[in-house]
Amino acid sequence: MKLYLTPGSCSTGIHILMEELELVFEAHLVNLMTGDQNKPEYLALNPKATIPTLVRNDGTALTEFQAIAYWLARSYPKAKLLPGDPDGDARVIELMDYVVGTVHGQGFTRIFTTDRFAFNEADFEAVRIQGMDIVKRGFAVINGVLSPQGYVMDAFTIADAALFYVEFWAYKTGIVLPENCQKHYDLMLERPVVRRVLMEEGYRLD
């Protein structure tokens, strides 16, 4: 398999899942700043020009964090990346979708790619403030449903990989995480695979 990723992005969550599963795959870096996602060869794989993209052994490509994470969990059920019961699976997907769609898709995108939301540079700061508010409110919601003792559910799931990457962004941008989210972030950093992936992607762990 081939994973197309950008270090420190949402694809870090998928990278973590694939390493947790001990899968053999090729990692291909996509430099978003230089426009690799818009090159014809990449658009042939993913016309959305987004990351991550997973090219599977049969040559077909999957895009979107949630779809790739779900496919990995269902393809390798022994790893128990989903709880396995309807309610548990739904809760995992519910939180994962909120992380990707709201905290990331509506919040952090306004902070990281402000120019997509405002044509006038004079409005940039207002857009960033709005993004910050969405992120902080999102973490407050998540904090309210997280167990103070552990993962999103009783054990590590695909939702934890999603939550970790936005917690990592919060850490890198100086956003203070609420108590349960901070405990979750610290717990994730205790996983050897998480630490290895961050180092592989070029991040120093203090």
Side-chain angles (χ1 to χ4, degrees):
M1 288 190 285
K2 299 177 182 179
L3 176 62
Y4 291 80
L5 60 88
T6 299
S9 71
C10 59
S11 60
T12 298
I14 299 299
H15 190 179
I16 288 169
L17 292 175
M18 295 186 71
E19 293 280 6
E20 289 279 358
L21 290 168
E22 299 182 341
L23 299 178
V24 176
F25 64 96
E26 298 176 11
H28 294 261
L29 300 185
V30 180
N31 189 329
L32 300 177
M33 298 300 293
T34 59
D36 284 355
Q37 71 277 20
N38 294 314
K39 291 180 178 178
E41 56 269 29
Y42 188 71
L43 291 174
L45 296 172
N46 180 355
K48 302 170 188 174
T50 58
I51 47 99
T53 297
L54 178 65
V55 178
R56 296 171 291 183
N57 290 330
D58 64 359
T60 61
L62 267 183
T63 65
E64 306 298 334
F65 186 101
Q66 301 98 311
I68 296 171
Y70 180 78
W71 181 82
L72 289 170
R74 290 298 303 271
S75 297
Y76 303 93
K78 290 182 179 179
K80 297 182 179 179
L81 295 176
L82 283 169
D85 63 281
D87 186 70
D89 289 359
R91 291 298 182 189
V92 166
I93 293 170
E94 178 184 33
L95 190 137
M96 178 176 63
D97 282 358
Y98 184 65
V99 165
V100 178
T102 300
V103 180
H104 173 180
Q106 297 181 36
F108 275 112
T109 52
R110 283 176 165 82
I111 298 170
F112 295 152
T113 55
T114 310
D115 58 324
R116 294 184 182 179
F117 296 88
F119 294 109
N120 191 333
E121 193 170 345
D123 298 325
F124 282 9
E125 186 60 23
V127 170
R128 292 191 189 99
I129 290 172
Q130 183 185 41
M132 192 74 69
D133 182 60
I134 292 170
V135 166
K136 290 180 177 179
R137 284 190 288 111
F139 279 128
V141 169
I142 295 167
N143 193 69
V145 300
L146 269 181
S147 164
Q149 280 79 39
Y151 298 108
V152 171
M153 303 296 284
D154 292 334
F156 175 78
T157 67
I158 55 178
D160 294 289
L163 179 55
F164 174 76
Y165 85 73
V166 292
E167 291 170 337
F168 179 68
W169 288 353
Y171 170 75
K172 297 298 287 185
T173 54
I175 297 172
V176 177
L177 292 169
E179 183 178 6
N180 291 343
C181 292
Q182 183 63 52
K183 289 180 179 178
H184 179 268
Y185 179 66
D186 293 338
L187 181 64
M188 287 291 291
L189 286 177
E190 292 176 6
R191 296 185 72 85
V193 163
V194 172
R195 298 181 67 84
R196 186 171 73 244
V197 165
L198 289 178
M199 288 188 288
E200 286 175 358
E201 295 194 3
Y203 290 94
R204 292 182 58 188
L205 300 175
D206 300 324

